[in-house]
Amino acid sequence: MLFSLSSSPLAPTLLLLLLSVPLLFLVAPRLLPPRPSPISLPDELDDLSLFRRAAPDSPSSPPPPLPSAQSPLGSPNPSPNNAFLFLTNSPLAFSPLWQIFFSNASSPHLYNIYVHADPAVPIPIRPPFTANHFIPSKRTERSSPTLISAARRLLANALLDDRHNAFFALISQHCIPLHSFAYLRKTLFHRSIDHLDYRSFIEIESNKTFMSNRYNARGEGVMLPEVPFDRFKVGSQFFVLTRRHAVAVVRDRRLWRKFSLPCIRDRDSCYPEEHYFPTLLSMEDPGGCTGYSLTRVNWTGMVGGHPHTYGAGEVSPELIYKLRESNFSQHYLFARKFAPDCLDPLLNISDSVIFRD
């Protein structure tokens, strides 16, 4: 005897379930907590086009070698450059201090400046910055992958702009230099005249109590299989990368598919910009990274996930000397965060302390 739905006592219940399925799809999004929107498709496509031009997935021919300070035969070559990548969502308050820093370079051909400024914020342009330094930029938001995209955009533009760019330093609007331009050059290029021996200065750590929460911020198991937990790293957002590592970051598609996903947990566990770069480069070339940053930051008295912000009353020669100190072989080259009212006291000690190595 065949089962008849119409004669079954379960018929009303089954019918109700069938009718409720479409309703569930309509109502559920309103009942569940909102999930942050990922990077928009147009922005993603714009970036992909830029990244493929800067670092092709399968280059038809190897890129020309970077010039070194001296050829094997002793003939002078153009010196490799430093690319300074300013990532900001507020006015560049320390422009006058950076103006002094760059004016002390022995040649303007030793550096290039690139600025990614949030287009929603008006940024007054003052020397050493010019309109030509500002790259096409997108909105950025804290605790989101937009900060990764902005840094990759800066790297891609610098790679495309000048093949002599050898080191790429990511700097925030709250950063200040701690040494002269000449000292920076000596620190970065001291190891060898062969650019293949250069290493990236990027913090790479794993033994932090919050790692599990941050690893699962996008959901349990979401980072697998590309990023096993034991390969998940953390480090300062601000780094100095070699050219080959800048290319690796811009060329990456595999890890980006994971880190570009929005977090579904509390925002205190969502800092993708502190994890993407150290995780990627520790997988790609751990021996080519120092494991530490050249940007000093004070996490004592952290507020809302932000490090200590120095005020005008704290600026002194002693503070600069202390911020330079490092447990590594090199002094710190930059420091953050500084409030805008620090500008005048910093300018007062710029010649006698900051740029006097």
Side-chain angles (χ1 to χ4, degrees):
M1 182 178 180
L2 296 175
F3 175 77
S4 174
L5 181 61
S6 60
S7 62
S8 171
L10 297 176
T13 303
L14 292 173
L15 183 61
L16 182 61
L17 287 174
L18 291 172
L19 292 175
S20 65
V21 170
L23 185 63
L24 182 63
F25 280 100
L26 292 174
V27 175
R30 301 183 182 184
L31 298 178
L32 296 173
R35 180 167 178 161
S37 300
I39 296 171
S40 71
L41 181 59
D43 285 354
E44 185 78 2
L45 292 177
D46 282 350
D47 285 348
L48 187 58
S49 175
L50 169 66
F51 298 160
R52 282 178 171 162
R53 286 185 287 118
D57 295 328
S58 300
S60 56
S61 60
L66 278 173
S68 56
Q70 191 175 36
S71 74
L73 299 178
S75 302
N77 288 330
S79 295
N81 294 338
N82 293 101
F84 293 85
L85 317 177
F86 288 84
L87 175 58
T88 183
N89 60 1
S90 64
L92 295 161
F94 298 108
S95 296
L97 189 65
W98 286 105
Q99 169 72 355
I100 299 173
F101 173 80
F102 289 116
S103 67
N104 288 331
S106 59
S107 168
H109 303 296
L110 295 179
Y111 65 89
N112 289 302
I113 299 172
Y114 308 89
V115 182
H116 185 292
D118 190 319
V121 180
I123 306 290
I125 301 176
R126 296 187 294 174
F129 305 103
T130 70
N132 290 335
H133 293 144
F134 285 70
I135 69 167
S137 305
K138 310 285 186 181
R139 288 293 307 272
T140 57
E141 184 182 2
R142 188 167 176 253
S143 302
S144 82
T146 59
L147 291 174
I148 300 175
S149 293
R152 296 178 83 200
R153 236 171 261 134
L154 281 163
L155 289 168
N157 276 274
L159 286 169
L160 280 169
D161 179 60
D162 191 340
R163 72 182 185 90
H164 298 128
N165 285 332
F167 278 105
F168 302 74
L170 186 65
I171 298 167
S172 85
Q173 73 271 35
H174 302 293
C175 278
I176 67 164
L178 293 175
H179 284 282
S180 68
F181 185 89
Y183 188 95
L184 176 141
R185 295 278 299 183
K186 182 174 66 175
T187 297
L188 297 182
F189 293 106
H190 81 286
R191 296 188 71 248
S192 170
I193 63 171
D194 183 355
H195 73 278
L196 294 176
D197 286 344
Y198 296 158
R199 292 199 297 165
S200 289
F201 296 87
I202 178 170
E203 189 176 38
I204 301 176
E205 296 187 11
S206 55
N207 297 323
K208 298 291 184 180
T209 57
F210 53 69
M211 293 294 280
S212 180
N213 288 339
R214 292 195 181 186
Y215 180 75
N216 294 310
R218 296 158 196 82
E220 296 283 346
V222 169
M223 301 299 287
L224 295 172
E226 287 84 355
V227 186
F229 180 68
D230 62 345
R231 305 299 300 274
F232 186 63
K233 306 299 181 183
V234 67
S236 170
Q237 176 188 359
F238 299 98
F239 48 64
V240 179
L241 299 187
T242 63
R243 188 175 183 90
R244 72 180 186 276
H245 287 162
V247 169
V249 168
V250 171
R251 187 175 288 166
D252 172 61
R253 310 282 181 267
R254 183 168 171 267
L255 265 61
W256 171 244
R257 285 195 292 268
K258 295 296 185 179
F259 282 94
S260 62
L261 296 174
C263 296
I264 61 174
R265 296 188 174 184
D266 63 287
R267 295 173 71 88
D268 289 340
S269 296
C270 191
Y271 296 99
E273 72 281 2
E274 295 182 0
H275 296 277
Y276 172 74
F277 301 102
T279 299
L280 172 63
L281 293 181
S282 69
M283 288 183 172
E284 290 276 339
D285 184 21
C289 303
T290 63
Y292 57 87
S293 172
L294 294 178
T295 299
R296 180 72 177 264
V297 61
N298 180 3
W299 288 104
T300 304
M302 178 180 65
V303 178
H306 293 283
H308 176 75
T309 300
Y310 295 100
E314 297 176 90
V315 175
S316 67
E318 290 72 27
L319 175 64
I320 300 300
Y321 298 144
K322 181 178 179 181
L323 292 176
R324 287 174 173 175
E325 294 175 0
S326 171
N327 292 328
F328 310 108
S329 58
Q330 289 84 9
H331 276 182
Y332 284 104
L333 298 181
F334 314 105
R336 57 184 288 267
K337 300 174 63 170
F338 283 80
D341 66 357
C342 292
L343 176 61
D344 286 341
L346 286 169
L347 290 175
N348 291 337
I349 61 172
S350 59
D351 291 333
S352 59
V353 177
I354 299 176
F355 302 128
R356 184 177 181 180
D357 303 312

